[in-house]
């Protein structure tokens, strides 16, 4: 933890040096002594300390200064550091005015100039100020700070991005006193939110994901132009491929447009993954895999939106949204799937304001005493229901089918049955979302009799219609009617190799219609939608990459 500051403000250079010297002599080991020659300079120093997450214990300001008096300075300083102890430096002639100022801006003390000897006239006063501050100190905040509106889609997206990338941050709403102080320190108004203040004190108003990623230390630029293996997508399949590719000596880069982990990374608890008898959260599993891949030498880039892929001679070229590109001998597509938007009135307008897609752990505590609805019946929905049941008054799973048995693992069904505040509504779908600025209620329709039911709802999390995000592929590789990438045997229609195939062999099991481009995990047609199988396919794809490279 860094040392808290003592700030002195005096426009007389001799007095300023003297007070700083005397304070440094006794308090220099415990406190950082900061000098300013004017009120404006002092406020600028305080804003920088605030943005860096530091603390201020004591403020000493000269009573008479041009442009801004000591009283005016302390009054504005209180907005930034309300817990700092305050004292005025004043001449004997201004004693009455200084005493009156104690009632105006809650000044704790005043000091007469000169204060020689400091052991008698300065240190006892400062000791008392320090003791009073220690009783209720400012808390140092070294993490990234986020200021935004509680029910705002841009603020939620930014927080969700940080949480998904396991970047620690502290959240303040614009209505929090500390949130307003951060806005003031950054010199921006409420219209600039969401505001990010980096750990080194740099403010960013409404940054893009790429700007945010760079600011918090995530890699966004490739270190090379050519690799042995490019992996598109950072879910379990992509991370599995990165670990095995890097461990076997391939120059490997993983490209992720949002955050590593994919849908599995959002899971609050995965209890059927081999080797974790007590279960493991998706974020823990993701972080371990990410660190393992990095330690083995894989390069990982975030906020890189891949928009096209092509074969260019023996190279496989991946193009980004900004027009740049990187090349490799081989590519593994591991982009997974995303949840389909709920097609009902009100859902789009309330996204980020009570309606969310996938499980967002950032909203866990906010669901306290609320009625939560989970739409979907797969494992991800069940895991989310278990998680939110810890906070919510009630959790209701809404499914169109007659039971959970067809889509959810047995262990999860058993868990949910034992949780008192979790219930399941079968043969039901959401046909309306309502609320003024935030989700307040839902309209549910029973498919058996067509009846409608209006229910109160504070939050709705949607886990339906997992679709592959493969439109960017165009005609580059063969896909099935739902957009999933076809590989291996699925490409062999009537025993014939795919059109344009230029190899004297059949496609390898996970190879696409373009030699050297492979697919693994949920994005692949007819794949098993489980974390373990995705990791296994990622590893298997690397084995086939080696086979492909050896045949070149």
């Amino acid at each position: 933890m860094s040392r808290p500051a003592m700030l002195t403000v005096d426009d007389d250079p001799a007095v300023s040096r003297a007070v700083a010297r005397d304070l440094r002599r006794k308090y220099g080991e415990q406190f950082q002594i900061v000098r300013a020659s004017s009120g404006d300079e002092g406020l600028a120093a305080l804003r920088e300390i605030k943005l860096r997450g530091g603390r201020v214990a004591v403020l000493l300001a000269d009573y008479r200064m041009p442009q801004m008096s000591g009283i005016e300075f302390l009054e504005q300083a209180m907005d930034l550091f309300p817990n700092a102890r305050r004292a005025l430096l004043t001449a004997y002639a201004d004693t009455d005015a200084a005493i009156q100022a104690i009632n105006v801006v809650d000044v704790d003390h005043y000091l007469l100039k000169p204060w020689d000897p400091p052991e008698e006239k300065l240190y006892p006063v400062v000791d008392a100020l320090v003791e009073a501050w220690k009783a209720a100190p400012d808390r140092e905040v070294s993490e990234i700070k986020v200021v935004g509106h509680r029910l705002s889609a841009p603020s939620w997206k930014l927080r969700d991005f940080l949480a998904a990338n396991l970047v620690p941050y502290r959240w303040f709403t614009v209505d929090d006193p500390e949130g307003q102080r951060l806005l003031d320190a950054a010199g921006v108004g409420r219209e600039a939110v969401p505001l990010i203040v980096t750990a080194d004190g740099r403010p960013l108003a409404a940054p893009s994901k790429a700007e945010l990623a760079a600011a918090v230390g995530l890699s966004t630029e490739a270190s090379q132009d050519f690799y042995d293996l490019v992996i598109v997508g950072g879910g379990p399949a992509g991370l599995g491929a990165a670990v095995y590719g890097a461990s076997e000596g391939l120059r490997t880069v993983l490209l992720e447009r949002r955050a590593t982990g994919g849908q599995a990374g959002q899971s609050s608890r995965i209890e059927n993954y081999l080797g974790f008898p007590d279960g493991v959260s998706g974020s823990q599993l993701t972080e371990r895999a990410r660190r393992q891949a990095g330690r083995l030498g894989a390069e990982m880039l975030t906020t890189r939106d891949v928009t096209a892929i092509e074969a260019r001679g023996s190279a496989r070229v991946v193009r980004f949204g900004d027009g740049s590109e990187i090349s490799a001998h081989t590519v593994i597509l591991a982009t997974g799937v995303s949840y389909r938007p709920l097609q009902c009135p009100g859902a789009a307008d309330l996204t980020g304001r009570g309606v969310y897609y996938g499980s967002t752990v950032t909203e866990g505590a906010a669901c306290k005493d609320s009625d939560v609805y989970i739409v979907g019946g797969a494992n991800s929905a069940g895991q989310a229901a278990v998680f939110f049941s810890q906070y919510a008054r009630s959790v209701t799973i809404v499914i169109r089918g007659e039971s959970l048995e067809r889509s959810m693992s047995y262990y999860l069904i058993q868990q949910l049955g034992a949780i008192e505040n979790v219930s399941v509504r079968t043969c039901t779908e959401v046909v309306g979302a309502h609320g003024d600025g935030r989700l307040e209620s839902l309209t549910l329709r029973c498919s058996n009799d067509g009846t409608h039911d209006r229910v109160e709802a504070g939050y709705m999390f949607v886990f339906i219609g997992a679709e592959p995000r493969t439109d960017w592929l165009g005609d580059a590789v063969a896909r099935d009617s739902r957009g999933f990438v076809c590989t291996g045997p699925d490409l062999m229609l009537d025993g014939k190799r795919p059109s344009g195939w230029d190899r004297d062999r059949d496609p390898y099991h996970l190879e696409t219609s373009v030699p050297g481009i492979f697919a693994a995990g949920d994005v692949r047609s007819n794949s098993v939608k489980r974390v373990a199988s995705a990791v296994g396919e990622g590893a298997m794809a690397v084995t086939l990459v080696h086979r492909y490279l050896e045949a070149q």
Side-chain angles (χ1 to χ4, degrees):
M1 182 175 291
S2 62
R3 292 176 297 165
M6 287 186 178
L7 176 67
T8 72
V9 185
D10 201 304
D11 64 315
D12 186 328
V15 175
S16 180
R17 286 193 299 270
V19 68
R21 177 200 63 215
D22 289 341
L23 290 175
R24 195 173 290 113
R25 184 181 301 162
K26 180 172 182 181
Y27 304 103
E29 291 186 1
Q30 299 178 25
F31 296 89
Q32 179 185 4
I33 311 302
V34 181
R35 278 200 304 150
S37 59
S38 69
D40 286 335
E41 185 179 322
L43 289 174
L46 290 178
R47 292 188 187 101
E48 183 174 350
I49 294 171
K50 170 61 69 176
L51 293 175
R52 289 180 179 272
R55 300 166 296 158
V56 175
V58 175
L59 298 167
L60 300 176
D62 184 36
Y63 174 66
R64 286 188 180 273
M65 291 187 295
Q67 285 85 46
M68 184 185 297
S69 70
I71 294 175
E72 292 171 327
F73 164 77
L74 291 175
E75 194 170 20
Q76 294 187 48
M78 286 174 63
D79 293 334
L80 294 169
F81 290 96
N83 291 337
R85 300 295 95 191
R86 300 167 289 278
L88 277 173
L89 302 175
T90 182
Y92 182 79
D94 296 322
T95 301
D96 289 342
I99 292 174
Q100 292 176 8
I102 292 176
N103 297 320
V104 175
V105 293
D106 196 23
V107 172
D108 297 293
H109 215 287
Y110 70 91
L111 287 161
L112 289 175
K113 298 186 289 187
W115 52 79
D116 290 332
E119 288 78 11
E120 294 180 12
K121 298 183 178 181
L122 176 65
Y123 295 155
V125 172
V126 177
D127 283 344
L129 295 175
V130 169
E131 289 303 314
W133 176 78
K134 286 182 176 178
D138 288 319
R139 184 181 184 276
E140 183 178 46
V141 182
S142 58
E143 303 102 328
I144 291 164
K145 295 170 278 292
V146 181
V147 183
H149 292 289
R150 178 70 189 85
L151 294 169
S152 160
S155 294
W156 167 72
K157 287 179 180 178
L158 191 148
R159 293 168 57 209
D160 189 54
F161 175 81
L162 291 174
N165 282 285
L166 305 177
V167 177
Y169 69 91
R170 187 167 294 277
W171 162 248
F172 304 94
T173 71
V174 295
D175 298 317
D176 291 333
E178 184 66 7
Q180 186 58 55
R181 285 191 281 270
L182 287 168
L183 291 175
D184 293 341
V188 298
R190 293 188 173 202
E191 70 281 356
V193 298
L195 174 73
I196 298 296
V197 181
T198 62
D200 61 358
R202 183 157 51 97
L204 298 172
S208 66
K209 285 185 178 179
E211 291 171 334
L212 180 58
V216 301
L218 299 174
S219 297
T220 60
E221 297 295 333
S223 63
Q224 304 177 45
D225 294 327
F226 197 91
Y227 294 83
D228 295 319
L229 171 62
V230 169
I231 303 164
V232 185
L239 287 169
V243 167
Y244 281 89
S247 68
E248 295 176 12
L250 298 177
R251 290 172 298 167
T252 302
V253 61
L254 183 149
L255 312 174
E256 171 57 49
R257 69 186 183 100
R258 178 178 171 269
T260 54
Q263 289 185 10
Q266 300 177 15
S267 297
S268 57
R269 203 75 183 164
I270 302 171
E271 299 197 43
N272 59 350
Y273 190 72
L274 184 67
F276 292 90
D278 298 319
V280 61
S281 72
S283 60
Q284 289 175 323
L285 187 62
T286 296
E287 173 62 7
R288 292 180 182 185
R290 187 192 63 78
R291 286 192 286 115
Q292 185 178 19
R295 181 180 62 81
L296 292 169
E299 191 175 336
M300 284 170 283
L301 309 182
T302 57
T303 66
R304 298 316 308 257
D305 197 9
V306 178
T307 59
I309 187 171
E310 65 174 294
R312 193 178 296 169
S314 62
R316 302 296 177 257
V317 181
V318 171
R319 190 177 305 120
F320 300 115
D322 61 4
S324 62
E325 58 185 37
I326 58 175
S327 303
H329 291 301
T330 58
V331 174
I332 295 177
L333 303 176
T335 51
V337 294
S338 57
Y339 295 113
R340 186 177 67 239
L342 192 63
Q343 300 298 322
C344 73
D349 293 337
L350 294 173
T351 298
R353 300 177 179 181
V355 176
Y356 304 97
Y357 290 89
S359 178
T360 170
V361 294
T362 57
E363 298 301 314
C367 292
K368 183 175 176 59
D369 299 326
S370 295
D371 296 308
V372 172
Y373 281 76
I374 307 290
V375 184
N379 277 8
S380 53
Q383 290 157 356
V386 172
F387 173 73
F388 288 114
S389 70
Q390 304 172 68
Y391 305 94
R393 177 171 53 231
S394 69
V395 176
T396 303
I397 300 175
V398 178
I399 60 172
R400 300 175 67 176
E402 297 181 352
S403 70
L404 293 171
E405 275 74 8
R406 290 186 59 186
S407 56
M408 190 176 294
S409 294
Y410 176 77
Y411 82 92
L412 263 178
I413 296 174
Q414 296 300 108
Q415 277 190 23
L416 293 170
I419 302 175
E420 293 183 357
N421 63 336
V422 174
S423 61
V424 181
R425 292 189 62 154
T426 60
C427 303
T428 303
E429 60 181 320
V430 179
V431 294
H434 320 282
D436 183 12
R438 66 151 302 150
L439 180 66
E440 297 171 355
S441 64
L442 298 171
T443 298
L444 307 179
R445 187 180 74 86
C446 176
S447 59
N448 287 333
D449 55 19
T451 58
H452 290 70
D453 186 14
R454 182 84 169 249
V455 295
E456 291 186 3
Y459 293 85
M460 176 172 66
F461 299 91
V462 181
F463 298 84
I464 60 170
E467 297 177 331
R469 197 186 64 85
T470 57
D471 290 345
W472 61 276
L473 287 171
D475 297 326
V477 299
R479 294 176 291 154
D480 65 18
S481 59
R482 295 183 298 161
F484 291 92
V485 177
C486 298
T487 59
D490 291 337
L491 294 168
M492 303 292 291
L493 300 178
D494 298 326
K496 295 180 180 180
R497 295 167 183 167
S499 175
W501 187 259
D502 62 358
R503 295 294 194 276
D504 188 22
R505 60 171 177 80
D506 294 343
Y508 296 135
H509 184 67
L510 300 181
E511 197 168 20
T512 71
S513 59
V514 178
I517 299 179
F518 300 81
D522 290 0
V523 74
R524 193 176 66 82
S525 181
N526 295 320
S527 65
V528 178
K529 305 299 188 283
R530 289 290 185 268
V531 176
S533 62
V535 173
E537 286 194 6
M540 181 180 176
V542 172
T543 299
L544 299 176
V545 163
H546 278 292
R547 187 181 301 176
Y548 171 85
L549 292 174
E550 290 168 359
Q552 289 297 96

